[in-house]
Amino acid sequence: MVVNNKVDSLSYDVEAPPAAPGQGAAAASAAADAHRHAPPPAVTPATSVLELHKVSVPEPRTAAKALRQRLGEVFFPDDPLHKFKNQSSARRLVLALQYFFPIFQWGSEYSPRLLRSDLGISYAKLANLPPIIGLYSSFVPPLIYALLGSSRDLAVGPVSIASLVMGSMLREAVSPDDQPILYLQLAFTSTFFAGVFQASLGFLRLGFIVDFLSKATLTGFMAGAAIIVSLQQLKGLLGIVHFTTHMGFIDVMRSVFKHHHEWEWQTIVMGTAFLSILLLTRQISARNPRLFWLSAGAPLTSVIISTVLSFIWKSPSISVIGILPRGVNPPSANMLTFSGSYVALTIKTGIMTGILSLTEGIAVGRTFASINNYQVDGNKEMMAIGVMNMAGSCASCYVTTGSFSRSAVNFSAGCKTAVSNIVMAAAVLVTLLFLMPLFHYTPNVILSAIIITAVVGLIDVRGAARLWAVDKLDFLACAAAFLGVLLVSVQMGLAVAVGISLFKILLQVTRPNLVVKGVVPGTQSYRSVAQYREAARVPAFLVVGVESAIYFANSMYLVDRVMRYLRDEEERALKSNHSSIRCVVLDMSAVAAIDTSGLDALMELKKVLDKRNIELVLANPVGSVAERMFNSAVGETFGSDRLFFSVAEAVAAGACKPPQP
């Protein structure tokens, strides 16, 4: 291509037809409106001077430099070593301590004012293990996260989703009632594997794997899981002794009505009353954020009141927690089992719960970080959560992560740093050492009511409605996850949801979006004729915009789709007595990458069009695409006269060439 070579361009003048004499303003307006909604006419070339520009190629790089830059973009997008440049050895040591232990960064700026802010309210959610395990899991993990975590607002502890998945997967093989010791061993071992998996992702900087759980799948999964969790609590709300170990909706409801003779009216009355109070305080706090303390303090208040009532009443119909051991977390490293028939189960459970807890923890941390205008290092969070769970598995803890509800309470209470986790751990420590006998008469029904109240917020009906309005395939993934969890199992629901999400990715990769473009009158800008009705096609030209990377998976689809567009445009030109297509322009501005199969597809498309005396030209390839083109046969085959700076220049240059015989 010759630089500064001036050629005739195209100018476009598409006007609304004038109103006929005698027509009023209303008639003229109606005529103009009819013109706006009429199909856009094809434009005819007019002459104006347009300067052509050469397509530039990035500065040549060695293979090693290109590979290093690519790996850096994948694994080190945040450039963590940048802060160490031009620093003394002592300063580098300080920066390293601050990087691996963020407490050294914010701890040096800590003040009594921040301490007053961090004295917020936190509470532990109870999961599918003995209540004492929930307290243990709210003591050691928060202390470790306060040392390693990068989020100032994240409050860690057991969460309902990970607890549900662990409980459902382990109970399929071992009954917690019949084999409680073995069940605990599997739970601790699964927690250890979850920590190893999480820390490995952070160490290898593979955090992008977690992103495969889309917002749509999580919306449906959490809604289904919330209902499953709530249904499981019917055992405590109704006072049922014999209850199914299955998690499916049908199995649970069948068990509820099959054992209706075990229902206790005293338990039902107490559970319904406290559940109503908890839900009411939740609604009040949601509508008036200043009253956050109502929902925050309601669970503890309910536990105290119900315990007092149970102690006074002492009804045998209301089951209570019973004796809880006093003291800090006992060691459980000796309970980890890495051999036997259950190893595969614990690994699978650990990976599943590890992914879910990572997704929730990082999402919560990023949410509050954006509110407070600071950054959260995703890989560092994975390391912190992973180490936290590995250490927790050796201290009678099960899978823990950042809890949205607990973090929201801390945020509303004015907590400013991770010291809030230390405060929470201190409160749990006091409880473990001195207050455990007070929970002897705490009714199990109140724990069920608290769990239902905690998980009901996971049902996001408005979020599902937004998915339906915006993306039907996302809604399908959401619905599949919801129904899979509800009707089959938690694992199946999650697997189906992830499968649909991966199918969506494959669909977008293998079937990229291509659009026919026309010029917007009065400009040299080419836009989709489907999106901009005023965009007009240029006779004898077919302009196709490729809005995706071109890979081996979609290269042949690109050829087929362009040929289909060509067929449609030729039929349109024949009906309207316009010139037949003699030039196809591919707008490559949205093609972020191309591989060897994509380059071969361009060559194949050119050969097919050459046989029909139709010229193929490329417009505006981005740097990496242009580099690969010029390093391959494509650059030689197309030559500089078929690579253009913009679509307008490609059309202008093509309009000046005489039609091929």
Side-chain angles (χ1 to χ4, degrees):
M1 185 185 302
V2 181
V3 183
N4 296 328
N5 180 27
K6 297 182 178 179
V7 300
D8 287 339
S9 180
L10 301 177
S11 62
Y12 313 95
D13 189 12
V14 183
E15 297 179 353
Q23 287 182 330
S29 176
D33 184 70
H35 173 75
R36 282 193 299 269
H37 290 82
V43 298
T44 56
T47 59
S48 64
V49 177
L50 180 67
E51 183 176 334
L52 297 185
H53 300 79
K54 186 178 180 180
V55 175
S56 299
V57 181
E59 181 182 351
R61 299 174 298 173
T62 63
K65 183 178 180 180
L67 180 61
R68 184 170 63 252
Q69 290 179 349
R70 184 58 179 164
L71 292 177
E73 293 172 0
V74 173
F75 297 106
F76 302 96
D78 54 344
D79 192 12
L81 299 180
H82 177 74
K83 62 178 69 176
F84 292 90
K85 293 180 180 179
N86 303 322
Q87 300 291 340
S88 64
S89 300
R91 181 58 181 167
R92 289 180 180 178
L93 177 60
V94 173
L95 291 174
L97 288 175
Q98 291 178 348
Y99 180 80
F100 291 106
F101 304 97
I103 191 172
F104 287 104
Q105 183 174 1
W106 55 261
S108 60
E109 303 172 355
Y110 203 73
S111 65
R113 178 180 59 83
L114 293 177
L115 177 61
R116 290 195 299 270
S117 299
D118 289 329
L119 291 175
I121 303 172
S122 299
Y123 65 93
K125 292 178 182 175
L126 300 177
N128 299 321
L129 286 165
I132 190 64
I133 303 298
L135 282 176
Y136 291 158
S137 301
S138 297
F139 174 51
V140 172
L143 294 176
I144 297 176
Y145 183 83
L147 184 67
L148 301 175
S150 63
S151 173
R152 307 171 193 166
D153 301 281
L154 199 66
V156 302
V159 292
S160 57
I161 297 300
S163 302
L164 168 65
V165 172
M166 176 174 286
S168 63
M169 295 182 71
L170 294 183
R171 282 198 296 179
E172 289 183 355
V174 177
S175 171
D177 299 323
D178 299 336
Q179 299 173 291
I181 302 300
L182 178 59
Y183 186 85
L184 279 178
Q185 290 178 338
L186 299 183
F188 295 148
T189 307
S190 299
T191 300
F192 178 82
F193 282 123
V196 171
F197 175 73
Q198 293 165 334
S200 299
L201 288 183
F203 180 76
L204 299 175
R205 305 189 71 84
L206 299 176
F208 56 85
I209 294 178
V210 179
D211 295 334
F212 279 101
L213 284 177
S214 66
K215 177 69 178 299
T217 61
L218 287 178
T219 298
F221 177 80
M222 288 192 296
I227 294 178
I228 289 296
V229 170
S230 300
L231 292 177
Q232 286 291 318
Q233 305 316 309
L234 291 177
K235 174 182 179 181
L237 284 177
L238 301 177
I240 299 176
V241 178
H242 302 89
F243 200 70
T244 180
T245 58
H246 297 287
M247 305 295 291
F249 174 82
I250 297 176
D251 292 331
V252 172
M253 297 309 298
R254 183 185 294 118
S255 178
V256 167
F257 290 103
K258 179 181 180 181
H259 300 98
H260 65 276
H261 58 279
E262 297 182 3
W263 296 7
E264 298 289 349
W265 69 267
Q266 299 95 330
T267 302
I268 296 174
V269 170
M270 177 177 285
T272 303
F274 281 102
L275 179 60
S276 301
I277 294 173
L278 291 170
L279 293 175
L280 179 62
T281 56
R282 183 186 183 90
Q283 287 295 319
I284 294 175
S285 298
R287 295 182 179 181
N288 190 351
R290 293 183 178 179
L291 299 177
F292 74 93
W293 52 270
L294 280 178
S295 61
L300 180 60
T301 304
S302 299
V303 168
I304 294 174
I305 295 176
S306 63
T307 301
V308 173
L309 292 177
S310 177
F311 176 76
I312 297 175
W313 200 348
K314 292 183 180 178
S315 173
S317 300
I318 299 178
S319 63
V320 296
I321 292 179
I323 299 175
L324 293 176
R326 182 188 299 182
V328 296
N329 300 30
S332 57
N334 61 322
M335 299 185 69
L336 302 181
T337 174
F338 304 110
S339 61
S341 58
Y342 296 110
V343 174
L345 174 63
T346 56
I347 294 176
K348 182 173 67 173
T349 304
I351 293 177
M352 188 76 73
T353 56
I355 292 177
L356 287 174
S357 58
L358 269 186
T359 303
E360 181 172 356
I362 293 177
V364 173
R366 287 176 176 172
T367 298
F368 287 99
S370 63
I371 295 175
N372 292 322
N373 195 27
Y374 68 92
Q375 297 293 325
V376 168
D377 189 330
N379 290 292
K380 193 181 298 183
E381 287 294 283
M382 294 179 186
M383 289 286 292
I385 295 175
V387 173
M388 178 178 72
N389 281 315
M390 284 192 290
S393 67
C394 300
S396 298
C397 305
Y398 75 107
V399 176
T400 54
T401 187
S403 165
F404 183 83
S405 59
R406 193 179 292 109
S407 300
V409 169
N410 278 1
F411 177 78
S412 300
C415 298
K416 302 295 184 182
T417 71
V419 169
S420 59
N421 282 293
I422 299 177
V423 173
M424 179 179 67
V428 174
L429 176 62
V430 172
T431 302
L432 291 171
L433 292 178
F434 306 107
L435 304 181
M436 296 309 294
L438 300 179
F439 294 99
H440 177 89
Y441 287 97
T442 299
N444 286 312
V445 65
I446 197 62
L447 304 183
S448 298
I450 291 174
I451 292 175
I452 293 175
T453 306
V455 302
V456 72
L458 299 176
I459 304 176
D460 188 2
V461 178
R462 292 182 179 178
R466 285 193 296 269
L467 291 175
W468 173 259
V470 175
D471 191 326
K472 301 299 188 293
L473 196 57
D474 269 352
F475 179 82
L476 177 62
C478 174
F482 175 78
L483 295 176
V485 171
L486 199 62
L487 301 179
V488 185
S489 67
V490 174
Q491 307 93 285
M492 183 57 67
L494 186 62
V496 170
V498 172
I500 292 178
S501 296
L502 292 177
F503 173 75
K504 181 181 178 181
I505 295 174
L506 292 175
L507 189 64
Q508 292 174 341
V509 170
T510 59
R511 295 295 182 266
N513 192 36
L514 277 71
V515 295
V516 175
K517 290 188 172 184
V519 66
V520 178
T523 73
Q524 292 181 352
S525 178
Y526 284 76
R527 294 292 185 267
S528 168
V529 296
Q531 181 180 1
Y532 295 88
R533 291 186 58 83
E534 66 271 23
R537 293 174 169 86
V538 180
F541 288 85
L542 170 61
V543 181
V544 178
V546 185
E547 299 180 343
S548 171
I550 304 177
Y551 293 120
F552 65 93
N554 60 26
S555 57
M556 287 299 101
Y557 173 80
L558 171 67
V559 176
D560 295 339
R561 200 68 181 86
V562 171
M563 296 306 298
R564 177 180 168 185
Y565 279 141
L566 180 62
R567 180 199 66 192
D568 295 342
E569 291 301 311
E570 288 181 334
E571 292 177 354
R572 183 192 301 272
L574 183 63
K575 290 181 180 179
S576 56
N577 294 322
H578 288 160
S579 302
S580 60
I581 302 298
R582 59 184 175 85
C583 182
V584 174
V585 182
L586 285 186
D587 184 359
M588 308 282 287
S589 57
V591 179
I594 190 170
D595 66 358
T596 54
S597 297
L599 295 172
D600 291 340
L602 294 180
M603 298 282 289
E604 178 68 21
L605 180 59
K606 183 181 181 302
K607 291 179 182 178
V608 174
L609 294 178
D610 285 344
K611 292 179 181 179
R612 302 176 59 172
N613 293 324
I614 298 175
E615 187 175 12
L616 175 65
V617 298
L618 310 177
N620 195 20
V622 300
S624 60
V625 175
E627 181 182 22
R628 293 195 176 186
M629 285 182 178
F630 281 101
N631 289 336
S632 67
V634 172
E636 299 177 0
T637 303
F638 278 77
S640 60
D641 59 337
R642 287 187 175 90
L643 294 176
F644 290 90
F645 181 77
S646 67
V647 175
E649 293 186 11
V651 174
C656 298
K657 296 180 181 179
Q660 298 180 6

